[in-house]
Amino acid sequence: MTQSLTLDSISAHYGSTQVLENLSLAVGEGELVSLLGASGCGKTTTLRLVAGFLQPTSGTITLGGRDLTRLPPHQRDIGLVFQNYALFPHLSVADNVGFGLKQRGVSGDAKAKRVTEMLERVGLAHLADRLPGALSGGQKQRVALARALVIKPPLLMFDEPLSNLDAKLRVDMRVEIRQLQRANGTTSVYVTHDQEEAFSISDRVAIMHAGRIMQLDTPERLYQRPANAFVARFVGFENLIPMAVVERDGAKITAEMAGGVRLTLPLEQFGAIPDSFILACRADGLQVTDNATMEGIPATLGLRTYLGRAYQYQAETPAGALIANGPLTRVLESGAAAKLVPVPEQCTILAPE
Ligand SMILES: Nc1ncnc2c1ncn2[C@@H]1O[C@H](COP(=O)(O)OP(=O)(O)OP(=O)(O)O)[C@@H](O)[C@H]1O
Ligand SMILES: [Mg+2]
């Protein structure tokens, strides 16, 4: 039985420091939403509030329409998976997994059957009698996952569950977590500071900064259409160029950046463009050419690096330092004059900061 989770205008403090400010978040039934952000932005705090280990100073938390805000943790019935596994060292794998069932009054054959089923699903049936001390990191994390899933909680929460594993295992495990979560249809909140992990595992991702959600959206939308400059930088738009419209002409506009450089931009790609805006381009979306007749940002090229699929150039322009990519077929030297040409399909427009 899966349920939707809502956080409505949650604020939280540790002592006199405000950590979350009016945070609202809705996670649909069966949906996996990740909280992604730098260390200290409030990800764990958000989970602690939902789990009931911390009380908000204002706001409400509901699960399946039921108000959880003032309930003690054990009445919330939430499955938790942490970075440090938190397994009982003196209990076997099977007893670790069965622990929550026992607490919920499931015992005997019924318990044994559910534990065995769950251990099979996470590929650990053959290790049922082992103690946690004799398991690898990946195996421990599977036990922790099995222990959280076996109680069939209406909500699962993960706090950096894979950060103690090596890179290869992290990728394997995140696929397994996603498959189990999908198969069970369990509403989930997943905390990580790894962008690739968040994007690959989630239906939607909340990008957090200083206790606030900067954007909550699908990975595709975040990557292609960040809503603000913070998110744009976060998802790798290296070039954020403030511009002002100087002329509107049907399907295109002319806009000017610092140093008086003008560009023509098609409205078709960007929809409405406000009078003052930021043109955001990844290095891929700003192509280097030595064809002086092209319309583009005049630049003096600096350091060139080889990326395999392209060359990347540091470039000095009247609008400041920019980063742009050029084709492998044309190697330009440091000090060369060039134009940086925005590729509209790969750029996006943001409101000024
Ligand atoms: N028990 C506490 N007492 C006081 N301040 C705390 C406490 N726990 C966390 N904080 C502060 O609250 C802020 C948010 O912490 P939180 O643990 O939610 O961050 P996080 O996003 O999970 O970071 P990380 O990625 O490092 O785990 C941080 O500035 C942190 O220093
Ligand atoms: Mg944390």
Side-chain angles (χ1 to χ4, degrees), residues 112-342:
K113 182 159 171 280
R114 275 172 70 176
V115 168
T116 306
E117 267 172 24
M118 191 43 74
L119 286 176
E120 275 165 8
R121 289 186 64 174
V122 298
L124 288 180
H126 61 296
L127 297 177
D129 299 325
R130 283 255 181 110
L131 290 176
L135 298 176
S136 72
Q139 289 165 341
K140 281 185 205 162
Q141 197 48 274
R142 284 196 182 83
V143 177
L145 187 61
R147 188 179 57 178
L149 281 168
V150 76
I151 60 168
K152 300 204 172 105
L155 175 69
L156 266 176
M157 298 200 296
F158 300 87
D159 195 352
E160 312 244 8
L162 307 180
S163 53
N164 283 341
L165 306 179
D166 67 50
K168 163 90 174 67
L169 195 54
R170 269 209 304 273
V171 173
D172 294 347
M173 284 293 296
R174 78 184 186 215
V175 173
E176 286 183 35
I177 289 178
R178 180 58 159 163
Q179 284 169 339
L180 280 167
Q181 183 268 338
R182 275 265 175 88
N184 290 17
T186 312
T187 308
S188 301
V189 182
Y190 189 100
V191 162
T192 178
H193 55 247
D194 180 329
Q195 185 184 325
E196 185 188 300
E197 189 172 304
F199 277 32
S200 67
I201 204 172
S202 311
D203 294 301
R204 290 186 301 155
V205 176
I207 297 194
M208 288 183 69
H209 174 59
R212 292 189 299 140
I213 293 179
M214 304 304 286
Q215 188 174 355
L216 170 62
D217 227 322
T218 61
E220 291 85 349
R221 298 267 319 160
L222 287 169
Y223 193 79
Q224 290 157 17
R225 291 285 174 260
N228 51 59
F230 179 86
V231 176
R233 279 192 200 94
F234 196 92
V235 298
F237 284 85
E238 291 102 334
N239 305 295
L240 300 187
I241 309 167
M243 301 195 77
V245 174
V246 290
E247 195 185 324
R248 294 184 183 269
D249 175 17
K252 57 186 199 310
I253 60 136
T254 304
E256 190 171 281
M257 68 184 73
V261 178
R262 292 187 172 195
L263 293 176
T264 323
L265 298 172
L267 280 175
E268 187 196 354
Q269 275 307 320
F270 300 111
I273 299 183
D275 286 343
S276 148
F277 65 95
I278 293 172
L279 178 67
C281 316
R282 292 193 174 85
D284 260 336
L286 206 52
Q287 282 295 316
V288 174
T289 176
D290 60 350
N291 178 349
T293 64
M294 294 278 287
E295 183 193 87
I297 307 165
T300 305
L301 300 182
L303 183 72
R304 179 184 73 238
T305 49
Y306 175 61
L307 299 183
R309 61 193 157 77
Y311 284 113
Q312 185 158 94
Y313 298 87
Q314 308 295 314
E316 275 309 322
T317 77
L322 298 175
I323 302 177
N325 285 358
L328 292 174
T329 48
R330 190 94 182 91
V331 183
L332 299 170
E333 296 306 329
S334 181
K339 289 280 181 65
L340 312 183
V341 182

Side-chain angles (χ1 to χ4, degrees), residues 12-20 35-48 54 83 159-160 191-193 208 211:
H13 296 73
Y14 288 115
S16 60
T17 345
Q18 180 159 26
V19 180
L20 297 184
L35 308 181
L36 173 66
S39 185
C41 73
K43 305 180 295 293
T44 297
T45 302
T46 306
L47 295 195
R48 294 187 68 213
L54 182 69
Q83 169 180 352
D159 195 352
E160 312 244 8
V191 162
T192 178
H193 55 247
M208 288 183 69

